[in-house]
């Protein structure tokens, strides 16, 4: 309650607090606190087995943190309508087959067994993705290329920040399925490099090459979203060199210089030529005002005597 009152008194931000033994249960507790603010006072604690079972029976399967609409539809087809249905023993084999280790971890978290630690950047990640929706549907190749280059550069920055390299690059494009006749609206293609890298130059060039082949092979030219995914990650110190083809050794020094300047002067002060016009652009129609950080958004109150 003290946390909630401070956020309101200091920032005028209404918040709700959920507390539980695991992260996924804490998300469920927070949802209960939001739904029943008058009864809970905006704070709900799952500290007994009775509360856990009651909360799981109330929580819809689509509201479980980490389950999207695709898996929700599949789980409902198995007659799983609540989180309690999801953790039933009869569902374990299906979860293991369809959702893999991620689904089993969600199940364990809902059972009160903590298996998800705090958020951290980790070289154990299987992949790194940067995807964004456009503010409007784009048809111009140069505009899409600019954004894909930016996404690739951001992936490279994340790789260097966690001290790892990638060997496979994936570029994806998403069209508006409601504005095209073809039922296929998601396109992707991949490239495996002959050497592992975290160079923004190499990753961006590969992403642009993939984008060009992808746009030439699709039957639509109107896209609402793009993304770059880097996978097959290895620690930077374990990178193996290729006898016949390897990365330009000057890239390493150049990337270090770019990171040093950008960390001192601001994010992406130095950029690649392919992303010269803009560094970021995404749909933000529902963006909230920044009352506490932007002077232009400070509320004005007129007092009449």
């Amino acid at each position: 309650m003290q946390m909630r009152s401070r956020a309101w008194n200091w920032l005028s931000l209404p918040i709700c607090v959920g507390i539980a033994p695991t992260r996924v249960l804490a998300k469920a507790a927070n949802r209960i606190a939001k739904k029943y603010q008058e009864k809970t006072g905006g704070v709900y604690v799952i500290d007994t087995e009775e509360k856990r079972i009651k909360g799981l029976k109330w929580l819809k399967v689509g509201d479980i943190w980490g389950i999207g609409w695709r898996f929700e539809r599949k789980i409902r087809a198995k007659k799983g309508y609540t989180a309690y249905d999801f953790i039933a023993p009869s569902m374990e084999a299906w979860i293991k087959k369809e959702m893999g280790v991620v689904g089993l971890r969600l199940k364990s978290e809902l059972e009160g067994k903590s298996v998800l630690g705090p958020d951290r950047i980790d070289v154990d990640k299987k992949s790194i993705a940067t995807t964004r929706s456009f503010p409007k549907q784009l048809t111009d190749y140069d505009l899409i290329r600019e954004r894909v280059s930016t996404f690739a550069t951001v992936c490279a920055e994340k790789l260097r920040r966690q001290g790892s390299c990638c060997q496979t690059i994936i570029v994806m494009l998403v069209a508006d399925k409601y504005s095209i006749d073809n039922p296929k609206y998601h396109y992707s293609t991949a490239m495996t490099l002959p050497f592992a890298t975290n160079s923004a130059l190499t990753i961006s060039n590969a992403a642009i090459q993939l984008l060009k082949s992808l746009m030439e092979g699709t039957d639509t030219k109107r896209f609402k979203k793009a993304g770059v995914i880097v996978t097959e990650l290895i620690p930077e110190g374990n990178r193996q060199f290729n006898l016949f083809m390897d990365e330009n050794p000057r890239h390493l020094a150049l990337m270090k210089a770019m990171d040093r300047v950008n960390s001192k002067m601001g994010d992406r002060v130095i950029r690649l030529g392919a992303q010269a016009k803009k560094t970021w652009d995404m749909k933000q129609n529902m963006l909230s005002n920044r009352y506490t950080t932007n002077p232009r958004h400070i509320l004005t109150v007129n007092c009449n005597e």
Side-chain angles (χ1 to χ4, degrees):
M1 293 298 292
Q2 187 180 31
M3 184 191 308
R4 189 169 184 264
S5 61
R6 282 184 178 179
W8 176 254
N9 293 333
W10 294 357
L11 303 174
S12 297
L13 293 177
I15 66 171
C16 292
V17 180
I19 301 174
T22 70
R23 291 179 64 187
V24 179
L25 281 177
K27 293 279 188 180
N30 181 265
R31 187 174 287 274
I32 294 171
K34 288 180 180 178
K35 180 70 175 180
Y36 303 103
Q37 291 194 43
E38 293 184 0
K39 293 183 179 179
T40 64
V43 178
Y44 190 75
V45 182
I46 298 179
D47 53 358
T48 65
E49 185 68 8
E50 182 182 358
K51 286 185 177 180
R52 185 182 72 86
I53 297 300
K54 186 177 179 181
L56 294 182
K57 289 182 177 179
W58 171 84
L59 185 67
K60 295 179 181 178
V61 69
D63 293 332
I64 299 174
W65 179 68
I67 291 184
W69 65 269
R70 287 186 177 88
F71 275 122
E72 177 189 3
R73 189 168 56 187
K74 292 181 179 180
I75 295 169
R76 284 183 174 275
K78 299 286 290 184
K79 300 192 182 303
Y81 303 105
T82 66
Y84 189 75
D85 298 332
F86 178 74
I87 66 170
S90 58
M91 289 288 292
E92 185 169 356
W94 182 90
I95 293 172
K96 184 176 181 180
K97 179 182 177 182
E98 298 293 331
M99 302 180 67
V101 67
V102 175
L104 293 175
R105 286 174 179 172
L106 286 177
K107 182 176 182 295
S108 296
E109 288 269 321
L110 290 170
E111 292 172 340
K113 306 168 188 174
S114 180
V115 295
L116 298 177
D119 291 330
R120 61 193 180 96
I121 296 177
D122 197 324
V123 294
D124 292 332
K125 285 183 177 180
K126 300 297 183 182
S127 62
I128 292 176
T130 303
T131 62
R132 291 292 184 276
S133 297
F134 306 141
K136 62 180 181 179
Q137 295 185 40
L138 297 181
T139 59
D140 186 86
Y141 166 75
D142 290 333
L143 292 177
I144 299 176
R145 181 196 62 187
E146 182 182 308
R147 285 152 180 78
V148 167
S149 177
T150 298
F151 300 158
T153 302
V154 173
C155 287
E157 291 174 358
K158 293 178 180 179
L159 286 171
R160 296 195 297 274
R161 197 178 302 133
Q162 71 176 31
S164 60
C165 296
C166 74
Q167 191 137 12
T168 298
I169 301 164
I170 304 169
V171 172
M172 53 163 279
L173 289 173
V174 180
D176 185 358
K177 62 181 179 181
Y178 301 108
S179 63
I180 59 176
D181 296 330
N182 194 324
K184 182 177 180 180
Y185 61 93
H186 189 283
Y187 305 88
S188 65
T189 185
M191 173 190 296
T192 298
L193 300 173
F195 48 81
T197 181
N198 57 18
S199 168
L201 290 168
T202 303
I203 296 175
S204 177
N205 288 337
I208 292 173
Q209 184 179 342
L210 289 171
L211 173 67
K212 186 175 181 180
S213 64
L214 194 61
M215 291 191 70
E216 289 176 350
T218 60
D219 56 357
T220 178
K221 298 299 181 183
R222 299 173 63 86
F223 299 100
K224 68 172 186 177
K225 183 178 181 180
V228 175
I229 304 170
V230 293
T231 185
E232 292 190 38
L233 308 188
I234 62 171
E236 189 175 19
N238 294 350
R239 180 173 53 179
Q240 292 187 352
F241 296 98
N242 190 298
L243 180 62
F244 302 102
M245 184 182 299
D246 205 354
E247 192 170 49
N248 190 328
R250 292 182 293 181
H251 282 199
L252 179 61
L254 178 60
M255 293 300 106
K256 287 183 177 179
M258 284 181 61
D259 291 340
R260 186 165 56 249
V261 173
N262 286 336
S263 63
K264 183 178 180 180
M265 305 299 295
D267 287 345
R268 303 177 189 94
V269 172
I270 298 180
R271 305 189 296 271
L272 302 183
Q275 54 173 139
K277 295 180 182 178
K278 297 179 182 178
T279 59
W280 212 253
D281 193 358
M282 65 181 187
K283 191 174 183 179
Q284 294 180 322
N285 295 339
M286 306 300 291
L287 189 66
S288 301
N289 289 333
R290 294 171 289 174
Y291 298 112
T292 60
T293 59
N294 192 328
R296 293 179 297 176
H297 294 170
I298 295 176
L299 295 174
T300 302
V301 179
N302 297 321
C303 297
N304 299 321
E305 295 183 359

